[in-house]
């Protein structure tokens, strides 16, 4: 048996207070097999996911588009439409896809679109249908209802400063394999916190934030744990959904997730 797993990435951490818009040409874009050349052997989420999926031995990776940009101002509307449109067009070109992994930042914003990642997840879900779909996220993402609705499992970083890109990709890929194997039935609990926190004191190695992350890691290593994180948003992406969130996904155990 071979499973075809679609791969896509789009990332930017947007500052809506930056008066200079971000344009399409500022994105670094790889397509198709060039994604493997760019990311294999790196300490990135994509590399971590590739290594786990390759090791399984039953996976055929189907690369589409990987687009990322340094932090900047809101993405101009036609440029955001072009970036997301190229990803979606590449997804449409594929056939017989069994699952998908999307590598996202989660705090992108367009001049007229406050939830690009949610829009992308919704459109990819509409194209691919009811197959396993897992996405990884920065813990500074702006988590939206649309993102939660259209992904089966969302896997956020556990570290700040961010040192677990590779490990997060591995976690996402392992969850995807569980879904493909029919071993996981995700049950999600989300607590929305009307709280905005930011600063270099929010290190995950120490303090209350660190303690909360350790609790999330204990959830993930528990018998029914799949993914858990504390997502604190990005204070510079000023969009309606900006707040903090606790997100816990368990395997068929809604009560444990909520607890």
């Amino acid at each position: 048996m071979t499973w075809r797993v679609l791969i896509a990435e789009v990332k930017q951490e947007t500052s809506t207070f930056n008066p200079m818009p971000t344009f399409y040409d500022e994105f670094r874009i790889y397509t198709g097999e060039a994604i493997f050349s760019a990311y294999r052997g790196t300490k990135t989420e994509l590399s971590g996911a590739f290594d786990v999926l390759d090791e399984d031995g039953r996976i055929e990776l189907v690369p589409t588009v990987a687009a990322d940009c340094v932090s900047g101002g809101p993405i101009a509307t036609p440029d955001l439409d072009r970036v997301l449109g190229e990803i979606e067009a590449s997804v449409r070109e594929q056939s017989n896809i069994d699952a998908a992994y999307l590598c996202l930042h989660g705090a992108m914003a367009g001049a007229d679109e406050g939830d690009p990642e949610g829009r992308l997840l919704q459109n990819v879900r509409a194209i691919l249908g009811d197959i396993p779909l897992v996405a990884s996220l920065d813990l500074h993402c702006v988590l939206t209802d649309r993102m939660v609705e259209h992904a089966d499992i969302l896997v956020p970083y556990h570290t700040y400063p961010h040192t677990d890109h590779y490990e997060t990709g591995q976690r996402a890929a392992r969850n995807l394999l569980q879904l493909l194997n029919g071993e996981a039935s995700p049950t999600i609990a989300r607590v929305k916190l009307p709280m905005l926190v930011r600063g270099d004191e929010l290190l995950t190695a120490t303090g209350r934030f660190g303690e909360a992350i350790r609790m999330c890691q204990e959830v993930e290593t528990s018998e029914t744990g799949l993914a858990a994180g504390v997502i604190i948003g990005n204070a510079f992406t000023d969009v309606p959904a900006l707040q903090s969130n606790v997100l816990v996904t368990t395997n068929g155990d809604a009560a444990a997730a909520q607890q």
Side-chain angles (χ1 to χ4, degrees):
M1 175 187 294
T2 298
W3 284 312
R4 286 169 51 81
V5 175
L6 182 140
I7 305 293
E9 177 186 71
V10 65
K11 286 186 174 185
Q12 189 209 32
E13 186 176 66
T14 303
S15 172
T16 57
F17 303 102
N18 185 334
M20 182 63 68
T22 296
F23 299 107
Y24 176 89
D25 290 343
E26 295 173 64
F27 279 83
R28 178 182 61 180
I29 298 176
Y30 299 100
T31 59
E33 297 290 325
I35 296 173
F36 297 142
S37 301
Y39 286 98
R40 284 195 187 278
T42 64
K43 299 301 288 184
T44 61
E45 300 98 296
L46 287 178
S47 181
F50 294 162
D51 287 349
V52 168
L53 296 173
D54 286 343
E55 184 179 355
D56 181 85
R58 298 170 295 172
I59 304 299
E60 177 188 350
L61 298 174
V62 182
T64 58
V65 177
D68 67 88
C69 183
V70 297
S71 298
I75 306 168
T77 297
D79 300 79
L80 178 62
D81 290 345
R82 182 177 176 186
V83 171
L84 298 184
E86 287 180 359
I87 297 172
E88 292 162 16
S90 184
V91 172
R92 287 191 188 92
E93 291 171 358
Q94 313 308 322
S95 60
N96 301 316
I97 298 299
D98 298 296
Y101 167 51
L102 271 61
C103 181
L104 308 174
H105 181 285
M108 288 178 63
D112 300 300
E113 172 61 79
D115 181 21
E117 291 92 347
R119 170 176 149 187
L120 179 65
L121 285 166
Q122 182 177 18
N123 290 344
V124 169
R125 173 64 79 192
I127 295 166
L128 296 179
D130 188 20
I131 64 171
L133 196 165
V134 174
S136 56
L137 301 167
D138 193 306
L139 61 77
H140 291 109
C141 84
V142 180
L143 188 66
T144 67
D145 294 344
R146 191 158 52 164
M147 292 163 67
V148 175
E149 177 183 355
H150 294 289
D152 292 300
I153 304 176
L154 296 170
V155 182
Y157 297 165
H158 282 157
T159 63
Y160 179 74
H162 304 316
T163 58
D164 65 333
H165 302 82
Y166 181 84
E167 290 79 8
T168 300
Q170 289 182 307
R171 290 160 55 217
R174 291 186 187 113
N175 275 297
L176 196 64
L177 287 174
Q178 283 192 263
L179 290 168
L180 279 167
N181 285 322
E183 299 169 349
S185 178
T187 45
I188 299 171
R190 177 185 177 194
V191 179
K192 300 180 180 181
L193 303 172
M195 176 174 69
L196 184 59
V197 295
R198 183 76 189 193
D200 291 341
E201 70 276 10
L202 287 166
L203 306 176
T204 53
T206 57
R208 296 298 191 190
F209 190 27
E211 290 178 15
I213 293 294
R214 242 72 72 210
M215 293 171 67
C216 292
Q217 291 170 327
E218 289 175 7
V219 168
E220 287 196 3
T221 58
S222 69
E223 184 176 351
T224 61
L226 294 174
V230 179
I231 297 169
I232 61 175
N234 176 43
F236 312 111
T237 311
D238 185 18
V239 292
L242 178 59
Q243 62 183 340
S244 296
N245 288 266
V246 176
L247 188 67
V248 176
T249 306
T250 54
N251 188 358
D253 195 347
Q258 190 60 48
Q259 180 63 38

